[in-house]
Amino acid sequence: MVQRDVAGQSQLSERESLLRETAQEGSGYHACRSTSEEDGGNEVLEPVPEVDEERSLGRGETESLKEGAHMNVVKIISVMLLGIFVAQTDGSILMATHTIIASEFNALKDSSWLIISFSLAGAATQTLYGKLSDIYGRKRMVIIAYTMFMVGCAIVGVGQSMWQVVLGRIVSGAGASGMSALVSVFITDLLPLREVAQWRAYVNLVATLGRSMGGPLGGWLADVVGWRWSFLGQVPPITLAIILCSAYLPNHASTLDETDVSATQQLKMSKFSRIDFKGAFLFATLVLTLLLPIELGGVNIPWTHPLIFVLLGASAVLLALFIAVEKRQAEPILPLEIFHSKDAILSFLILGFQTAAQLGMMFAVPLYFQVTSTPRPSATVAGAHLVPAVVGNAVGGMISGSVIKRSGRYKSLVIWAVTCSSIGYLLLMLRWHGNTNWLESLYIFPGGFGMGVANSALFISLQVVIDPAHMAPAVSFMYLMQTVWATIGLPAANAIMQTVLRRNLGIRLFELGYDSTEVAEIISNAVSDVDFIDGAIEKVRNAVVQSYIDGLWWSHGFSFSCSVTALVLAVFLKQRRLDGHKSKP
């Protein structure tokens, strides 16, 4: 259906525009004139093959048309993969270098802000990209996101103080959130529903490759030419990505006469007035007040600090205000209709619990091998034990996409995925008690595999039930949920492990005959530095190691509980026919 702009000209919605331009380049779909009273005789885009009514296309011509459409979609999505790769590489580069960066500015105690600032900026801006891309166009917002990320990397690379580097991470985080979400939005615009999961699996594969390479690359650059080049080196590939996106991403032309200055100005004013500034501000503030206490609690300030309760209380108030404001908005930044569907809510929750479980495991695994292995491995070697989970994630996404494309079934995949993850976490609880051999170290594969399968299948379950007009904000919100639950999962797993570690180590030390002062000192040293194990006497070392194992057992229990909860929720998902859903070229 077309919409009327302020100048009285017919203005295509962003999704229709993308589809039309793709059709003109060989998608096999075209606009046609509706004569029904419901459509009012307006021009609509329907999935009708462009076949001359005078003659039918031969098989060779039809295949050529389909091949042209496929190649056009490949070209459009492929040019965005470079940005995905660089953005994911950036995250793991920072994990490897944040202590080196902070140490240069004598601010090691503040190194966590390099990570916190990036994630908070991304979470606060995540949902904005979806709605703004509906108003101003996908291509324009992609280029804006890439540019912000590039500028942020440059600021970090040339920063001369800690606050300048943190500022650069804030700008980069605000750009990276759009780089990730808008690729998926493009995929939903341009592809049939059965193919969406498979193409998102390709994106996930590129992202996984970036995450895998970032850590070693960042460490190597820091050792050879300095950490600054880890970020300045990202500027050229992102610049290339901006050029490629400008050249190849579809961007419809305005239907207005460019010489009509008045009409053009009216159109710009109309778009600007569609932006829900109040909702955007309230939602960004809501996300920040919710995530800040989770990021700060137990690390920068105690969980019992009054600021924690003030922020959590403020987030509850802001949530109520946000809902009240959005109900009155003609075009809300986050349409509340998204949450009218039970399956949409279930999809968000299942993905959230799976993300929290996965992040809890990713935190625990390197620490487990650092503590239990003899001789003790370096942090790099211990981190390499995460490779089976990373590989499982990529393989699971590819398999899930292929199965959905062939069968159209996604609910059974979700149930299978969370069951597989639950079994993996249960095996960690049953078998990881020290002296773990290489075969049993592969028990983390099911967790990563299940996450990869669930990620693709849940994206489809969301698409099936969401109004296409709200798809971009819904996709952005799904990405936001992953960020929020990752932020919850990591500190929750750490808090559980630390609590059990302190309690059990205290009990063991008292049994060994140490007094309360000595116990407090040993516990403080043991929880702050795993290298303490090397210098401790044998009976203390054994007590520390066993207490770590106890704490990590409960950390795995947290992941298992999250995954089982996701399994219970998955049972209530409804399988819908993908063939009955509106197809996309």
Side-chain angles (χ1 to χ4, degrees):
M1 193 76 63
V2 295
Q3 301 171 349
R4 298 287 176 184
D5 63 24
V6 295
Q9 302 288 335
S10 61
Q11 183 71 23
L12 290 171
S13 71
E14 176 60 25
R15 180 175 180 275
E16 289 172 335
S17 306
L18 288 172
L19 295 180
R20 168 165 293 186
E21 181 162 338
T22 307
Q24 291 172 346
E25 296 181 11
S27 69
Y29 289 72
H30 68 282
C32 65
R33 179 75 61 179
S34 170
T35 56
S36 68
E37 293 182 3
E38 179 181 352
D39 292 330
N42 291 327
E43 191 177 25
V44 296
L45 194 71
E46 294 182 356
V48 181
E50 293 184 336
V51 181
D52 190 327
E53 295 180 359
E54 301 273 331
R55 63 178 181 86
S56 22
L57 290 173
R59 175 170 297 182
E61 293 173 287
T62 303
E63 291 301 320
S64 177
L65 186 62
K66 290 181 179 179
E67 183 178 351
H70 178 76
M71 291 305 297
N72 192 52
V73 172
V74 170
K75 178 182 66 176
I76 292 170
I77 297 175
S78 295
V79 298
M80 302 181 72
L81 294 182
L82 177 59
I84 289 292
F85 177 80
V86 175
Q88 295 298 321
T89 302
D90 173 88
S92 52
I93 282 176
L94 189 73
M95 295 298 292
T97 59
H98 70 97
T99 56
I100 300 173
I101 298 170
S103 296
E104 179 171 317
F105 301 110
N106 297 317
L108 184 58
K109 63 182 178 63
D110 297 321
S111 66
S112 61
W113 279 105
L114 295 171
I115 301 171
I116 293 173
S117 59
F118 183 90
S119 61
L120 289 179
T125 57
Q126 187 81 74
T127 55
L128 297 179
Y129 282 100
K131 189 60 183 179
L132 290 178
S133 71
D134 281 340
I135 296 174
Y136 287 102
R138 312 283 193 242
K139 178 178 179 178
R140 182 175 298 177
M141 296 310 302
V142 166
I143 293 174
I144 289 174
Y146 280 33
T147 302
M148 291 181 66
F149 181 82
M150 180 186 67
V151 170
C153 288
I155 294 174
V156 173
V158 301
Q160 297 302 308
S161 64
M162 187 66 173
W163 76 265
Q164 291 176 355
V165 175
V166 170
L167 174 63
R169 296 305 297 167
I170 292 173
V171 177
S172 293
S177 62
M179 293 167 69
S180 301
L182 291 176
V183 173
S184 293
V185 174
F186 255 105
I187 290 173
T188 62
D189 284 336
L190 299 174
L191 290 167
L193 191 54
R194 280 178 179 256
E195 295 184 23
V196 167
Q198 189 169 43
W199 276 89
R200 287 194 77 250
Y202 298 149
V203 173
N204 186 48
L205 183 62
V206 172
T208 301
L209 181 62
R211 288 193 296 269
S212 303
M213 292 181 60
L217 178 62
W220 178 77
L221 288 172
D223 292 338
V224 176
V225 294
W227 62 266
R228 294 180 184 277
W229 288 101
S230 299
F231 299 94
L232 292 175
Q234 297 179 54
V235 173
I238 289 296
T239 302
L240 175 61
I242 292 173
I243 294 172
L244 292 174
C245 289
S246 299
Y248 293 108
L249 293 189
N251 185 27
H252 69 283
S254 173
T255 56
L256 293 174
D257 184 355
E258 294 184 1
T259 61
D260 189 344
V261 177
S262 175
T264 303
Q265 290 177 341
Q266 283 184 308
L267 177 60
K268 290 180 179 179
M269 291 176 61
S270 175
K271 288 184 175 181
F272 187 78
S273 65
R274 291 172 60 191
I275 301 176
D276 176 18
F277 288 105
K278 289 186 292 185
F281 173 78
L282 285 172
F283 191 77
T285 309
L286 163 63
V287 171
L288 291 176
T289 54
L290 176 64
L291 295 186
L292 262 178
I294 298 173
E295 293 276 13
L296 299 178
V299 180
N300 299 88
I301 57 177
W303 283 105
T304 54
H305 194 283
L307 181 61
I308 298 292
F309 299 101
V310 169
L311 288 172
L312 291 177
S315 66
V317 173
L318 287 168
L319 175 61
L321 286 174
F322 175 74
I323 293 174
V325 168
E326 295 300 89
K327 283 182 176 180
R328 295 193 295 268
Q329 291 294 322
E331 291 192 62
I333 200 74
L334 183 63
L336 298 181
E337 289 83 358
I338 292 173
F339 306 101
H340 292 175
S341 168
K342 181 193 73 174
D343 280 6
I345 296 174
L346 287 174
S347 298
F348 293 140
L349 290 176
I350 294 168
L351 184 60
F353 279 111
Q354 278 291 92
T355 301
Q358 180 82 344
L359 264 292
M361 182 190 73
M362 300 290 271
F363 155 78
V365 169
L367 183 58
Y368 173 83
F369 283 101
Q370 272 192 297
V371 169
T372 61
S373 299
T374 305
R376 284 202 318 109
S378 65
T380 302
V381 173
H385 284 281
L386 290 173
V387 169
V390 174
V391 172
N393 189 278
V395 172
M398 297 296 292
I399 292 176
S400 179
S402 178
V403 170
I404 291 174
K405 182 178 180 179
R406 291 199 312 267
S407 67
R409 311 294 295 180
Y410 58 87
K411 177 180 176 177
S412 57
L413 281 175
V414 174
I415 293 176
W416 179 45
V418 293
T419 300
C420 185
S421 294
S422 300
I423 291 173
Y425 302 135
L426 181 61
L427 286 173
L428 298 184
M429 298 173 67
L430 295 176
R431 301 296 301 168
W432 279 24
H433 300 294
N435 301 316
T436 302
N437 58 42
W438 72 269
L439 187 61
E440 290 194 318
S441 71
L442 299 179
Y443 289 159
I444 66 172
F445 178 86
F449 180 80
M451 185 66 194
V453 173
N455 209 341
S456 296
L458 289 169
F459 191 83
I460 297 301
S461 73
L462 176 69
Q463 271 202 284
V464 173
V465 297
I466 292 297
D467 185 336
H470 299 151
M471 188 57 66
V475 170
S476 295
F477 187 78
M478 176 169 268
Y479 274 89
L480 174 62
M481 285 296 96
Q482 287 187 286
T483 301
V484 170
W485 283 88
T487 305
I488 293 172
L490 191 58
N494 183 39
I496 291 170
M497 188 278 295
Q498 290 277 351
T499 301
V500 176
L501 167 62
R502 290 172 181 273
R503 184 194 64 195
N504 289 10
L505 180 56
I507 293 172
R508 288 187 171 95
L509 292 175
F510 278 121
E511 290 176 349
L512 291 174
Y514 289 95
D515 60 36
S516 57
T517 302
E518 292 172 320
V519 167
E521 182 180 358
I522 293 173
I523 291 176
S524 176
N525 291 329
V527 300
S528 61
D529 187 2
V530 292
D531 291 335
F532 170 77
I533 297 172
D534 293 333
I537 61 176
E538 184 177 358
K539 63 178 182 179
V540 173
R541 180 170 62 249
N542 291 338
V544 172
V545 170
Q546 192 57 51
S547 297
Y548 261 105
I549 292 173
D550 293 345
L552 291 169
W553 186 91
W554 282 96
S555 176
H556 298 319
F558 166 76
S559 294
F560 176 71
S561 300
C562 288
S563 195
V564 169
T565 303
L567 176 59
V568 173
L569 294 175
V571 173
F572 295 97
L573 271 178
K574 183 177 180 181
Q575 171 68 46
R576 302 172 190 270
R577 289 182 56 87
L578 301 190
D579 293 337
H581 193 70
K582 185 177 180 180
S583 299
K584 306 178 188 70

